[in-house]
Amino acid sequence: MTIMTTANDYGVVSEDATLTLERLLPGPIDRVWSYLVDSDLRRQWLAAGAMEEKVGAAVELVWRNDELTDPPGTRPDGMDEEHRMTCEVLECDAPRRLAISWGSTGGVTFTLREQGDEVLLTITHHRVTDPAVLLNVSAGWHAHVDVLEAKLRGTAATPHWDNFVRLRGEYAARLAG
């Protein structure tokens, strides 16, 4: 497998501890949107969990990262086979914008914008003030979006955990510098 990461694929952290990650994906926009809101499609790159496309709706996200790629790679110490988190839909403007709460941070916003036959996905993870959490969030979003891009392009993704560990090292260097 070839890792095709470019400088533009990395997330950028702004002064208010907000990570912004952009990726150009094959469209159409409704297809990409479905990978955000449909549990069966979202579990293939991020986490399962039924989501009602309505402000105020609760969604329990269930991560099973060992199932994202075959092989999954080597799970790092401290990472469980399964992780769960209950979120709330804060904003929903299909198929362009979805915002959800996210644990102790300021939440996550997904924005989709058509660019010809492709779709620019922008993920903004707001106010991640704990440096250790910011490191895992940065590498995590990047690794998960790598899986999403591979799914949408019909290619094989790099083993998820190996990619996450590699990216965590790269983000540690980027965030320190």
Side-chain angles (χ1 to χ4, degrees), residues 76-88:
D77 291 339
M79 297 291 185
D80 296 327
E81 283 185 46
E82 181 177 288
H83 175 71
R84 292 174 178 262
M85 180 173 56
T86 300
C87 303
E88 178 183 342

Side-chain angles (χ1 to χ4, degrees), residues 29-74:
I29 194 169
D30 289 325
R31 177 178 178 227
V32 178
W33 178 259
S34 66
Y35 274 85
L36 297 179
V37 298
D38 180 277
S39 178
D40 290 335
L41 294 175
R42 188 178 350 93
R43 78 162 186 75
Q44 295 177 32
W45 72 277
L46 182 65
M51 178 183 292
E52 189 177 354
E53 294 180 47
K54 180 177 114 179
V55 171
V59 58
E60 182 182 34
L61 296 177
V62 181
W63 282 264
R64 293 186 185 105
N65 291 335
D66 290 351
E67 299 174 4
L68 297 178
T69 59
D70 185 18
T74 303

